Amino acid sequence: MEKVTEAVKNVAIGDKKPKKEKKGAAAAATSDAGPLELNPPPTFIQARLDLFDRLYKEQQDELAKRPREDILITMPDGSVKPGKSYETTPAEIAKGISNSLLKRTVIARIDGETLWDLERPLEKSCKLELLDFNDEQGKFVFWHSSAHVLGEACERRFGCSLCIGPPVDNGFYYEMALPGGAAVQASDWAPLENIVGKIVKEKQPFQRLEMSKEDLLKMFEYNPYKQHIIKDKIPDGTRTTVYRNGPLIDLCRGPHVPDTSRIEAFAIMKNSSSYFLGDANNDSLQRIYGVSFPDKKQMAAHKKFLEEAAKRDHRLIGKQQELFYFEEASPGSAMWLPHGMRIHNAIMDYIKEQYWQREYDEVMTPNMFNVTLWEQSGHLAHYKEDMFLLDVDKEQFGLKPMNCPAHAMMFRHRERSHKELPLRYADFGVLHRNEASGALSGLTRVRRFQQDDAHIFCREDQIKAEVSDLFDFMKSFYGLLGLTFKLKLSTRPDKYMGEIETWNRAEDRLKEALIEFAATGGVSWELNEGDGAFYGPKIDIAVLDCLNRPWQCATIQLDFQQPINFSLEYQTAEGTAAHKDQPKEEAKPAPAPAPKEAEAEDKEKKDGKKKPLLIKKALSPGCARPVMIHRAMAGSIERFTAILCEHFAGKWPFWMSPRQIIVIPVGMGFLDYAKEVAKLLRKEKLYVDVDSSGNTLQKKIRNGQLAQYNFCFVVGADEMQNRKVNIRYRDDTSTQARDVPVPLDEAIQKLVKLKAERGMYNPFPAHAEEGEKKA
């Protein structure tokens, strides 16, 4: 499928400034006025169709001349189906098995990698897979086709210039420029869905046509955005494809569903403004988001899921529980309120405990570096646009967006021995990334954040053991929080750095660690060939919350390139032994610098500055390069807090809860005892409040429950006289209306233990007290 959403810098179509959306009743009236569709339709539609029809006929005539040869089609179960080249289609194979299979099949996959239209004839013998909507690639094709349907509806209603319409993780969108810079309104949604309904009923087939660049420029001469994409993305002298459904013809690699009738359930979810190709220097556009499914039951389930997700929105819970907020004076930087910091610190405390047990060393590095550091690491070319840069003393500095270059410098600052490895540096330093203002979203997308970032420097033969320990770390951490996760091994891409033998050894060790983890009660893993980073293979980890939504948190990446960029090395065991055997020599004066180096030094002295850029050097005798492992468990603490907020729906487990206990006196005469109880609990570092309001007892208890206190301690005459508390546990309804006081000292002891164990249980079970009653 076409991926044309990469930002193209400093390109603007026309001289128009970004348009703001119309507001108020006038805008609504504008969108409500006029017919459902433009009549007559825009003239460019017929001109486009005429060119398509002529070229499509030429293509079909040429395909008809291709020789029909016997081919063999191998199915996933090993069975082999006979066919004819340029004649047999995947749809025919599916129908030959069963009509129901054909109906639920979205797309075909050839030889394990190439997606293929169901109605497009096969060209040679191949392995054939038939993918339905439940397959990840099948779902993306379905949503991509739905985007085309949305695009057709928009052209028919607005006469707009379409830009791009890709599938995304939760549906699809289409971006467009409306005539006169108009804006899409919410009142346009129903008419657009009405037109989509017509398109679906028409069962418009998706037709594929290969075209030359010259013909594409002619076909889309009315659309400056398509013109730009064609000129920028398609090399001269090459061909690419368009797809037609009904009157719509769109630049697209495909593939697509057979026809529009497959899209039985369709809904527009939202609309917004955007910039062409994501660049604020370009024209302001309108973007419409949608979602679709093969049947109405799945749409109903999806809407129910969205309702539940909306209740769990961390931005809503953050406001209700006073955890964090944002100030306009510092966009994308959270203002952590006291109760939010309690959660933040609980996460950090757990990670630091794990670091101690797993022998990590915590370090701290500067927030700002000369940009030559990022040149040295190679990050500047990729991250410059996302960095905050400053001019200091006529030189450019940048706030660090990641910690790895600083950790590499720390490793390099003195000679290292093989005996020191593995060396594990952990850093909670503040990071800054200049995210686009339109991309900022609560705690999940911010500009200022902290990570549980760490880098492990080890020998190649230590990779497996280190990765296995990281799996154990993940299993403990996520298991504690009730999160599950999926693993993918991403291997060497086409463009990579380093020796292929080193890559092969590293990938083998990662595979060994993954196989061993799966065999010992871990999770299964998938191979994601060719998707590793250019500097080394990686393991992608997707964390699944209670709604089964995937989140990218943890990462494990092997890096061969940074040790080379920073000339990192350690003395091997063999090198150490050889060094000991060598006779000691008298110290010799340092050699005079080479002419070029001396010239550079003179210039630096003259300028009064010395560039911190390091000179790469070859390995010293008896030394080897370490492997650098980038790893994180929570990732951004801000983002991880948002994930947990939605995962728990604001019902925080006791050990990380910002509101653990509320003490409720049944009357003002027992307020002093309530305060005494709170003081004793606070002494044990438990978060406790006292409700000293004049509300009724039931109102106080209800308020405590709504505020998500884990425990309500109710105290009255009996409790004060016998130094007891009456306990109600938030997560156990059987404790909500009972009158069995617990000795205060016992209650404190059990809660301290519950917090220390990070337990998820009720330390005051109802059955134990019922047994006491019987006794």
Side-chain angles (χ1 to χ4, degrees):
M1 289 174 279
E2 187 96 36
K3 297 287 186 181
V4 292
T5 55
E6 300 173 10
V8 178
K9 306 301 178 184
N10 301 317
V11 176
I13 305 297
D15 297 320
K16 296 176 287 183
K17 294 183 179 179
K19 302 283 184 180
K20 292 186 178 180
E21 294 185 14
K22 297 178 181 179
K23 297 181 180 179
T30 301
S31 63
D32 288 338
L36 181 68
E37 300 182 41
L38 295 177
N39 190 16
T43 55
F44 67 77
I45 290 181
Q46 189 58 51
R48 195 172 61 187
L49 287 172
D50 291 342
L51 179 57
F52 180 92
D53 289 341
R54 178 174 63 80
L55 295 176
Y56 189 75
K57 183 179 183 303
E58 291 176 5
Q59 174 182 276
Q60 297 307 101
D61 290 344
E62 194 277 330
L63 288 175
K65 298 175 184 177
R66 300 279 177 92
R68 270 48 175 174
E69 299 176 350
D70 292 334
I71 59 173
L72 297 176
I73 301 140
T74 306
M75 305 303 290
D77 63 0
S79 62
V80 178
K81 310 287 184 183
K84 291 282 187 183
S85 62
Y86 295 100
E87 188 173 295
T88 302
T89 66
E92 290 173 6
I93 299 295
K95 187 175 182 179
I97 298 171
S98 72
N99 285 326
S100 61
L101 175 62
L102 174 61
K103 185 176 180 180
R104 67 174 181 269
T105 300
V106 172
I107 203 69
R109 184 163 59 208
I110 306 299
D111 294 330
E113 55 183 31
T114 304
L115 295 179
W116 200 267
D117 296 293
L118 288 180
E119 298 291 353
R120 181 182 174 189
L122 299 169
E123 298 175 359
K124 61 180 181 178
S125 296
C126 62
K127 294 178 181 177
L128 176 66
E129 297 170 85
L130 301 171
L131 310 181
D132 62 15
F133 183 79
N134 294 322
D135 182 273
E136 197 65 29
Q137 287 187 305
K139 185 177 294 181
F140 265 47
V141 167
F142 191 92
W143 283 342
H144 189 191
S145 300
S146 302
H148 279 237
V149 171
L150 173 61
E152 178 185 340
C154 291
E155 279 195 344
R156 287 166 65 167
R157 178 162 177 79
F158 304 123
C160 56
S161 293
L162 297 177
C163 299
I164 58 173
V168 290
D169 288 342
N170 54 358
F172 52 89
Y173 69 80
Y174 222 116
E175 217 167 47
M176 67 206 72
L178 270 61
V184 175
Q185 305 297 328
S187 53
D188 287 310
W189 296 9
L192 287 170
E193 289 175 349
N194 190 331
I195 299 172
V196 167
K198 293 181 179 181
I199 294 169
V200 171
K201 288 179 181 178
E202 289 170 7
K203 296 185 178 181
Q204 299 173 356
F206 280 87
Q207 296 175 299
R208 178 180 182 273
L209 172 65
E210 289 187 12
M211 295 180 63
S212 67
K213 184 173 182 177
E214 293 73 19
D215 284 334
L216 286 168
L217 290 170
K218 182 179 180 181
M219 175 174 280
F220 295 102
E221 60 186 359
Y222 65 92
N223 188 326
Y225 307 101
K226 295 292 186 186
Q227 288 271 319
H228 173 77
I229 293 169
I230 293 166
K231 292 174 182 176
D232 187 62
K233 299 294 181 184
I234 302 172
D236 291 339
T238 64
R239 300 173 68 83
T240 192
T241 55
V242 296
Y243 274 79
R244 172 185 176 179
N245 59 286
L248 176 77
I249 301 169
D250 203 4
L251 181 67
C252 177
R253 290 178 186 168
H256 286 284
V257 298
D259 63 65
T260 57
S261 68
R262 295 297 189 96
I263 305 165
E264 291 189 10
F266 180 102
I268 292 174
M269 305 309 294
K270 64 178 181 178
N271 67 275
S272 66
S273 59
S274 62
Y275 289 106
F276 179 53
L277 300 177
D279 189 335
N281 294 317
N282 291 347
D283 287 358
S284 180
L285 304 174
Q286 295 296 296
R287 182 179 289 185
I288 302 176
Y289 291 85
V291 70
S292 61
F293 294 93
D295 59 67
K296 291 179 172 58
K297 284 185 179 179
Q298 291 186 64
M299 177 64 82
H302 178 71
K303 288 186 175 180
K304 187 175 180 181
F305 164 82
L306 292 178
E307 288 175 10
E308 180 60 30
K311 295 175 188 174
R312 294 169 175 264
D313 191 319
H314 75 279
R315 293 165 294 188
L316 176 64
I317 294 171
K319 183 177 181 180
Q320 291 171 342
Q321 297 189 359
E322 295 188 2
L323 305 179
F324 63 89
Y325 76 102
F326 291 87
E327 286 282 1
E328 291 185 5
S330 185
S333 300
M335 302 285 282
W336 286 92
L337 295 166
H339 289 86
M341 278 306 297
R342 292 175 180 182
I343 298 168
H344 185 286
N345 290 339
I347 297 170
M348 298 280 271
D349 289 344
Y350 173 82
I351 294 170
K352 288 185 177 184
E353 284 182 24
Q354 289 291 315
Y355 282 169
W356 178 257
Q357 294 172 21
R358 299 173 190 276
E359 299 184 13
Y360 283 73
D361 290 305
E362 191 172 342
V363 299
M364 185 182 293
T365 53
N367 279 351
M368 186 171 69
F369 288 94
N370 192 295
V371 293
T372 51
L373 176 72
W374 314 110
E375 291 175 4
Q376 183 85 27
S377 68
H379 285 101
L380 194 65
H382 302 285
Y383 274 90
K384 188 173 182 180
E385 296 299 324
D386 298 319
M387 290 177 65
F388 288 98
L389 301 175
L390 307 167
D391 289 325
V392 181
D393 295 334
K394 297 183 181 180
E395 293 194 53
Q396 199 168 46
F397 283 73
L399 297 179
K400 64 178 179 181
M402 72 283 292
N403 288 309
C404 39
H407 290 183
M409 294 284 283
M410 191 171 281
F411 182 94
R412 189 185 187 278
H413 92 282
R414 68 168 174 81
E415 292 182 353
R416 300 288 178 180
S417 165
H418 67 96
K419 295 178 181 179
E420 296 179 75
L421 305 182
L423 193 61
R424 307 179 186 97
Y425 286 153
D427 195 332
F428 292 103
V430 174
L431 304 176
H432 287 85
R433 292 181 186 173
N434 190 14
E435 301 282 0
S437 58
L440 300 176
S441 178
L443 293 179
T444 58
R445 199 74 178 266
V446 291
R447 287 174 174 167
R448 183 265 185 208
F449 60 99
Q450 288 175 269
Q451 285 185 322
D452 64 326
D453 199 11
H455 295 90
I456 302 169
F457 299 90
C458 65
R459 305 189 307 266
E460 274 191 43
D461 62 297
Q462 294 173 324
I463 291 174
K464 180 186 171 185
E466 290 303 307
V467 172
S468 294
D469 182 69
L470 293 176
F471 288 157
D472 182 70
F473 195 160
M474 275 192 292
K475 189 176 180 180
S476 300
F477 188 27
Y478 297 149
L480 175 67
L481 298 165
L483 298 165
T484 56
F485 57 94
K486 294 180 179 179
L487 301 173
K488 283 186 181 180
L489 172 59
S490 298
T491 57
R492 186 181 69 251
D494 293 334
K495 294 181 180 179
Y496 65 92
M497 302 189 77
E499 299 295 328
I500 193 168
E501 293 81 7
T502 306
W503 276 83
N504 291 339
R505 288 195 303 271
E507 288 175 7
D508 288 343
R509 290 194 169 96
L510 289 181
K511 287 177 184 176
E512 290 170 11
L514 285 162
I515 292 169
E516 189 176 290
F517 181 57
T520 55
V523 299
S524 59
W525 57 281
E526 298 176 25
L527 184 62
N528 189 19
E529 291 188 15
D531 202 36
F534 70 91
Y535 50 76
K538 62 178 180 174
I539 296 174
D540 294 315
I541 302 109
V543 176
L544 304 175
D545 65 12
C546 67
L547 296 181
N548 210 36
R549 295 176 299 182
W551 300 87
Q552 186 68 43
C553 297
T555 184
I556 301 172
Q557 299 182 15
L558 302 192
D559 190 343
F560 309 125
Q561 193 58 36
Q562 290 304 313
I564 295 172
N565 289 344
F566 287 94
S567 302
L568 305 187
E569 61 184 28
Y570 64 90
Q571 196 165 51
T572 63
E574 296 79 8
T576 303
H579 182 72
K580 286 181 178 179
D581 293 340
Q582 288 179 353
K584 292 184 178 179
E585 296 182 6
E586 293 184 8
K588 296 181 180 179
K596 287 186 178 179
E597 292 178 9
E599 185 179 330
E601 287 181 10
D602 290 341
K603 188 177 187 304
E604 286 170 357
K605 289 177 182 177
K606 186 177 180 181
D607 294 342
K609 299 170 186 173
K610 185 170 179 62
K611 295 287 185 183
L613 191 63
L614 305 171
I615 298 172
K616 294 181 185 179
K617 64 175 185 176
L619 274 172
S620 303
C623 291
R625 299 268 187 232
V627 176
M628 188 176 183
I629 303 177
H630 304 253
R631 51 107 291 170
M633 293 293 119
S636 158
I637 302 299
E638 283 77 0
R639 192 162 185 264
F640 197 66
T641 301
I643 294 168
L644 293 182
C645 194
E646 299 189 7
H647 176 61
F648 292 123
K651 294 179 181 288
W652 301 97
F654 184 74
W655 65 273
M656 68 189 313
S657 176
R659 293 176 175 85
Q660 293 172 329
I661 309 140
I662 185 165
V663 185
I664 301 174
V666 298
M668 296 306 291
F670 311 105
L671 182 59
D672 288 343
Y673 178 59
K675 290 181 178 179
E676 181 186 351
V677 170
K679 186 175 181 181
L680 291 171
L681 290 165
R682 193 172 289 112
K683 187 177 180 181
E684 297 297 334
K685 296 185 178 179
L686 298 173
Y687 298 127
V688 57
D689 296 302
V690 176
D691 188 340
S692 58
S693 70
N695 291 327
T696 64
L697 177 60
Q698 291 305 315
K699 179 71 171 176
K700 290 179 180 179
I701 292 172
R702 180 61 178 156
N703 287 343
Q705 292 170 337
L706 291 175
Q708 303 302 337
Y709 284 92
N710 300 78
F711 295 95
C712 291
F713 283 15
V714 180
V715 294
D718 182 50
E719 288 81 14
M720 185 172 70
Q721 183 178 351
N722 297 294
R723 295 193 65 76
K724 292 185 176 183
V725 288
N726 201 306
I727 301 173
R728 286 167 170 77
Y729 178 44
R730 181 195 66 196
D731 300 327
D732 186 353
T733 55
S734 67
T735 70
Q736 300 301 318
R738 72 174 194 262
D739 189 18
V740 185
V742 178
L744 177 58
D745 290 343
E746 179 187 335
I748 294 174
Q749 182 182 3
K750 287 186 174 181
L751 289 182
V752 169
K753 181 183 178 188
L754 179 66
K755 182 180 179 182
E757 292 177 347
R758 295 188 172 89
M760 304 281 278
Y761 60 89
N762 179 11
F764 311 104
H767 64 82
E769 285 146 6
E770 288 171 3
E772 288 174 10
K773 279 185 178 180
K774 291 177 183 178

